[in-house]
Amino acid sequence: MTPLRSWLAVPKESPFSLRCLPFGIISSAADPSRRVAVAIGNHAVDLKAFALGGGFQGLPEMHSHTDVFSEDALNRFAALGQDRHRAVRTYLQGVLRADDTAHAALLRDNAPLRASAIVPLASVTMHLPMRIGDYTDFYAGIRHASTVGTILRGADKALQPNYTHLPVAYHGRASSIVVSGTPVRRPRGQILPAGSATPVFAACRRMDIELEMAALVCRDSALGTPIDVNEAASYVFGYVLMNDWSARDIQAWEYVPLGPFTAKNFGTTISPWVVLADALEPFRTAALPNDTPLQPYLNESRTDAIFDIHLRVELKTASGNSMVLSNSNAANLIWSFPQMIAHHTITGCNLQVGDLLGSGTISGPDPGTQGSLLEANMGGKTPIQLPGGETRMFLEDGDTITITGWAGDEEGGLVGFGDCTGQVLPALV
Amino acid sequence: MTPLRSWLAVPKESPFSLRCLPFGIISSAADPSRRVAVAIGNHAVDLKAFALGGGFQGLPEMHSHTDVFSEDALNRFAALGQDRHRAVRTYLQGVLRADDTAHAALLRDNAPLRASAIVPLASVTMHLPMRIGDYTDFYAGIRHASTVGTILRGADKALQPNYTHLPVAYHGRASSIVVSGTPVRRPRGQILPAGSATPVFAACRRMDIELEMAALVCRDSALGTPIDVNEAASYVFGYVLMNDWSARDIQAWEYVPLGPFTAKNFGTTISPWVVLADALEPFRTAALPNDTPLQPYLNESRTDAIFDIHLRVELKTASGNSMVLSNSNAANLIWSFPQMIAHHTITGCNLQVGDLLGSGTISGPDPGTQGSLLEANMGGKTPIQLPGGETRMFLEDGDTITITGWAGDEEGGLVGFGDCTGQVLPALV
């Protein structure tokens, strides 16, 4: 792939090449208001400042819409639809390209606007990219579902009979979704000790992570009208990384018969930069095979409906030891996001701009590719060995988990997400 | 209880006595904007018009806040807190009381304001009372849980071991909550025919209702900080009736292992008028007994933590036959709303203004008191006999379900909710 070169210096290893150009919400000491920006290399381009400085004069269709960049969330920009997202992203790539002289006067050669609109990433605070309405978490990582099912119910009953017929999911809690960097407090709750019939109240002893990708929605659908699987991609604004923190011991006691509740609603971390659907187009690939004949509403015409994105989970302990816990890939899914959307709406449920759809835990097939500690430690049996002699079964206080993800290579320019990170705080006493 | 008499005619059988004075969002032909109103008898008092007409001049603490009554949802009014809700409700009761001459000039003797602010209920359109952030549905109706558990798993395993230790719940879908009067389309989805290993795609054949009450939240809580059970009542703005429409056949196939999803997210109906927490204070009663020793965080100091509210479900068929399906009572719960809130937040989950908390299906102990058809028909075995020779196992197209609920009596003035109603539309073809 021919690299897109920018007149701004972009380190080769940056997740935010000009091919990526993700959208997020920033604030800064100079302007504490939340506003829209794109990331490129080590910089953010403040689109509020850029718009106010006349930067969009080369894109007439956005003239009456540039106020969306002064918003404190991406919802209104998202609601403009994929055609406009594409137009804006392509236009900004032009403004930032080294070989695009037509737009050079707008920013590159406009010193005052460059000074106000180009901000070092190190100086900005990132915020949740959207006002999230409803959050749904799917379970499309079949390798995770198989391994966890084996741990809980044995190998012969690992997957429930419905698993390959429909994208299993549950409704999650939107209020406790936080942006990367927010510490997450170890929860306390009811836990059933092994061999006991009576629960105790205690701090979670099996605090875990779940490596996920999540889609953000950019279109409202009508209540009562399912979304066609082959139209569903048009509802996706873009993607973020997600860590669905989980309290395994609390979950085991509470989850029958209605599913996870307090074990999952104390915090869910997402990465701040939304990689637009368009930016991932070059990285399409096939989902994991599913031999089950599907109902027509799940039959997607394209076979390259998911993405080849490298995913990595790193652990850093309070003592400073760190290790890569997992190298996985977003292609380890049995259902695509369009299939998830088609199923989500099949009974008539409506989607709204700002909804978040999680993939479920994305685990690969081998040791070192699992998306949760529960899998890596074989159901709490085999501790993970860290450098420096530390071991981990589940998370300990002070541990920091960082998920990163990227498609492409340094040659062509990485299309990455930046960090999805959070540190475990001690439980309340 | 001494009745509060109004100078406005209030029919004795009206759910909206002066003791009730519920809050809702109206629009009308004369003013199509959505705005706040209270209901009394057969009238709405338009609080936007009342405020603009100087109606709140006798309540100085609201002077800088009367713009909340021009909002299209009750969220900002709710966020002012229970002290202000009480002050406004008490003040409006004064303005409307027959024996309160101090406030008579404000409305009763102010013909132009009366003409603009007092609107027949028959002429207004009701809207969702709040912008609902997250919706959580509990399972606190032990009689429903026992009967359904017996149908699904047998009498010896009817209740899961956790049931009396914690308020079981799941996160629901907020986007598909609709206001009373909105038709609900019969969903289509995956159903596993009896004796088959392969699902079919079909219109739901076991469409059901769930009779519930729901609390609306008026305070934000901090992420990471549980709400004390004895402080939790201060988070409740008020209550509505709710019908959690359910597709039993779709639910049976999809719900393992993560709980109900598409079987419950196609529509949830709530009544439009919010009965403030204060209005239900005189009707406190004890929850159903629970012999299980509770964790301290669920130990509520007051024993009269739930409400004696008569609940009724009526069915009217397309042929015009109608019958009362159920007479139940909101006291048929094993957990109070403060206990639900304490449990919801125990791991650190935050609540936000506008969150909706459903009670779970409220069934009494006897035939004719069940809150779902699945219970009334003994798991789909015994059809219900209607007048006119019709029978019903589950809902048929054209059926209208209306839930009503009221506390108190006609003598003292009813504290009621009005209708929570919806008609079943045929499935898409």
Side-chain angles (χ1 to χ4, degrees):
Chain A
M1 194 174 290
T2 320
L4 292 179
R5 291 203 37 246
S6 175
W7 47 263
L8 263 169
V10 178
K12 265 198 342 187
E13 67 279 13
S14 168
F16 306 136
S17 75
L18 189 49
R19 284 203 185 283
C20 186
L21 215 63
F23 284 67
I25 299 294
I26 64 165
S27 66
S28 57
D31 180 356
S33 69
R34 298 187 188 194
R35 58 202 190 273
V36 176
V38 289
I40 174 165
N42 294 325
H43 291 88
V45 180
D46 173 345
L47 295 186
K48 175 186 169 190
F50 181 71
L52 292 174
F56 282 103
Q57 61 189 261
L59 190 66
E61 69 174 278
M62 282 299 293
H63 270 180
S64 53
H65 299 292
T66 53
D67 56 329
V68 300
F69 300 121
S70 302
E71 296 267 318
D72 63 0
L74 289 165
N75 295 57
R76 280 190 58 218
F77 173 57
L80 295 177
Q82 283 182 338
D83 286 351
R84 283 233 171 75
H85 311 156
R86 187 174 301 120
V88 168
R89 187 164 155 279
T90 306
Y91 175 76
L92 291 173
Q93 284 176 328
V95 168
L96 293 164
R97 275 173 83 143
D99 59 358
D100 185 328
T101 48
H103 293 104
L106 288 172
L107 190 62
R108 188 189 75 180
D109 301 340
N110 182 340
L113 189 53
R114 260 176 38 210
S116 68
I118 300 182
V119 194
L121 280 183
S123 74
V124 303
T125 302
M126 300 305 303
H127 304 276
L128 274 184
M130 296 187 89
R131 281 186 303 278
I132 295 166
D134 277 296
Y135 155 45
T136 303
D137 202 13
F138 283 84
Y139 199 48
I142 187 170
R143 286 160 172 157
H144 168 79
S146 301
T147 307
V148 171
T150 302
I151 291 168
L152 295 177
R153 290 177 295 271
D156 53 328
K157 290 185 188 167
L159 294 179
Q160 300 287 347
N162 57 19
Y163 188 83
T164 59
H165 289 276
L166 53 80
V168 170
Y170 68 100
H171 299 118
R173 178 77 189 178
S175 73
S176 50
I177 296 171
V178 296
V179 73
S180 176
T182 310
V184 174
R185 189 171 291 288
R186 177 184 300 277
R188 298 180 306 169
Q190 290 195 24
I191 298 167
L192 191 69
S196 171
T198 307
V200 298
F201 180 73
C204 171
R205 298 156 192 173
R206 295 185 145 215
M207 188 164 168
D208 201 354
I209 57 166
E210 293 197 336
L211 164 62
E212 303 199 27
M213 283 199 40
L216 285 156
V217 170
C218 62
R219 267 180 88 175
D220 291 345
S221 74
L223 185 60
T225 306
I227 296 172
D228 185 289
V229 67
N230 294 311
E231 297 288 330
S234 69
Y235 287 79
V236 177
F237 177 51
Y239 298 88
V240 292
L241 304 174
M242 187 166 97
N243 182 355
D244 186 27
W245 305 88
S246 298
R248 300 290 177 201
D249 39 9
I250 296 170
Q251 184 178 353
W253 169 237
E254 78 171 359
Y255 92 106
V256 282
L258 298 182
F261 179 48
T262 64
K264 295 264 195 183
N265 70 11
F266 59 91
T268 306
T269 304
I270 63 172
S271 56
W273 292 103
V274 182
V275 177
L276 297 199
D278 241 28
L280 289 172
E281 278 298 317
F283 309 105
R284 287 184 168 278
T285 187
L288 294 176
N290 184 0
D291 294 338
T292 301
L294 298 182
Q295 296 296 335
Y297 79 91
L298 290 171
N299 259 327
E300 203 169 1
S301 58
R302 71 185 308 158
T303 53
D304 55 349
I306 64 171
F307 302 105
D308 175 15
I309 302 169
H310 192 95
L311 300 171
R312 178 173 290 173
V313 183
E314 289 184 84
L315 164 66
K316 186 173 180 185
T317 72
S319 335
N321 292 314
S322 67
M323 73 176 285
V324 174
L325 290 177
S326 181
N327 280 293
S328 185
N329 191 295
N332 286 309
L333 296 173
I334 192 175
W335 302 104
S336 70
F337 281 100
Q339 287 175 313
M340 297 180 212
I341 288 171
H343 182 65
H344 199 317
T345 61
I346 188 60
T347 55
C349 181
N350 55 328
L351 295 189
Q352 294 181 328
V353 174
D355 287 346
L356 184 76
L357 310 174
S359 61
T361 309
I362 303 177
S363 295
D366 306 311
T369 67
Q370 294 111 336
S372 72
L373 293 171
L374 184 67
E375 294 161 85
N377 66 27
M378 321 280 268
K381 297 208 174 93
T382 310
I384 298 154
Q385 305 293 328
L386 274 75
E390 284 191 278
T391 62
R392 280 293 177 280
M393 198 73 90
F394 291 96
L395 295 174
E396 297 194 4
D397 293 346
D399 285 354
T400 299
I401 290 289
T402 302
I403 299 173
T404 49
W406 63 91
D409 55 33
E410 295 186 0
E411 198 66 33
L414 294 173
V415 175
F417 293 80
D419 289 356
C420 175
T421 190
Q423 186 175 35
V424 179
L425 299 181
L428 295 170
V429 286
Chain B
M1 196 173 289
T2 319
L4 292 180
R5 292 204 37 248
S6 175
W7 47 264
L8 264 169
V10 178
K12 264 197 345 187
E13 67 280 11
S14 169
F16 306 135
S17 76
L18 190 49
R19 283 203 185 283
C20 186
L21 217 62
F23 286 67
I25 299 293
I26 64 166
S27 66
S28 57
D31 180 356
S33 69
R34 298 187 187 194
R35 56 202 191 272
V36 176
V38 290
I40 174 166
N42 296 325
H43 291 88
V45 181
D46 172 346
L47 295 186
K48 174 187 170 190
F50 181 71
L52 292 173
F56 282 104
Q57 62 188 261
L59 190 65
E61 68 174 278
M62 281 301 291
H63 269 181
S64 53
H65 298 292
T66 54
D67 56 329
V68 300
F69 300 121
S70 303
E71 296 266 319
D72 63 0
L74 289 165
N75 295 57
R76 280 190 57 216
F77 174 58
L80 295 177
Q82 283 183 337
D83 287 351
R84 284 233 170 77
H85 311 156
R86 189 175 299 120
V88 169
R89 187 164 156 280
T90 305
Y91 176 76
L92 292 172
Q93 284 177 328
V95 169
L96 293 163
R97 275 173 84 142
D99 59 358
D100 185 327
T101 49
H103 293 102
L106 288 172
L107 189 62
R108 188 190 74 182
D109 302 339
N110 181 340
L113 190 53
R114 258 176 39 211
S116 67
I118 300 181
V119 194
L121 281 184
S123 74
V124 301
T125 301
M126 301 304 303
H127 303 276
L128 273 184
M130 296 186 88
R131 282 184 302 278
I132 295 166
D134 277 296
Y135 155 44
T136 303
D137 202 13
F138 284 84
Y139 199 50
I142 186 170
R143 286 161 174 157
H144 168 78
S146 301
T147 306
V148 171
T150 302
I151 292 168
L152 295 177
R153 291 178 294 270
D156 52 329
K157 289 185 187 167
L159 294 179
Q160 301 287 350
N162 58 21
Y163 188 83
T164 59
H165 289 275
L166 53 81
V168 170
Y170 68 100
H171 299 118
R173 179 78 190 178
S175 72
S176 51
I177 297 171
V178 296
V179 73
S180 176
T182 310
V184 174
R185 189 172 292 287
R186 177 184 302 276
R188 299 180 304 169
Q190 290 195 24
I191 298 167
L192 191 70
S196 171
T198 307
V200 298
F201 180 72
C204 171
R205 297 154 191 173
R206 295 186 143 215
M207 188 163 168
D208 201 355
I209 57 165
E210 293 197 336
L211 164 62
E212 304 198 27
M213 284 200 38
L216 285 156
V217 170
C218 62
R219 267 180 88 175
D220 291 345
S221 75
L223 184 61
T225 306
I227 296 172
D228 186 289
V229 67
N230 293 311
E231 297 288 331
S234 69
Y235 287 79
V236 178
F237 176 52
Y239 299 89
V240 292
L241 304 174
M242 187 166 96
N243 183 355
D244 185 27
W245 305 88
S246 298
R248 300 292 178 202
D249 38 11
I250 296 170
Q251 185 179 352
W253 168 237
E254 76 170 0
Y255 91 107
V256 280
L258 298 181
F261 179 48
T262 64
K264 295 265 195 181
N265 69 11
F266 61 90
T268 306
T269 305
I270 63 172
S271 57
W273 292 104
V274 182
V275 177
L276 297 198
D278 241 30
L280 289 172
E281 278 298 317
F283 309 104
R284 287 185 167 278
T285 186
L288 294 177
N290 182 0
D291 294 338
T292 301
L294 297 182
Q295 297 295 339
Y297 80 90
L298 290 171
N299 258 327
E300 202 169 2
S301 56
R302 71 185 308 158
T303 54
D304 56 349
I306 63 170
F307 303 104
D308 176 14
I309 302 168
H310 191 95
L311 301 171
R312 178 173 289 173
V313 184
E314 289 184 85
L315 164 66
K316 186 173 179 186
T317 73
S319 338
N321 292 314
S322 67
M323 74 175 287
V324 173
L325 289 177
S326 180
N327 280 292
S328 184
N329 192 296
N332 286 310
L333 296 174
I334 192 175
W335 301 105
S336 70
F337 280 99
Q339 287 174 312
M340 297 180 214
I341 289 172
H343 182 64
H344 199 316
T345 61
I346 188 59
T347 54
C349 181
N350 55 328
L351 295 189
Q352 294 181 328
V353 174
D355 286 347
L356 184 78
L357 310 174
S359 62
T361 309
I362 304 177
S363 296
D366 306 311
T369 67
Q370 293 111 335
S372 71
L373 293 172
L374 185 68
E375 295 162 85
N377 65 26
M378 321 280 268
K381 297 208 174 94
T382 311
I384 298 154
Q385 305 291 329
L386 273 77
E390 285 190 276
T391 62
R392 279 294 177 280
M393 198 73 89
F394 290 96
L395 295 174
E396 297 193 5
D397 293 345
D399 284 355
T400 298
I401 290 289
T402 302
I403 300 174
T404 49
W406 62 91
D409 55 31
E410 295 186 0
E411 200 65 35
L414 294 174
V415 175
F417 293 80
D419 289 357
C420 174
T421 190
Q423 187 175 31
V424 178
L425 298 182
L428 294 171
V429 287

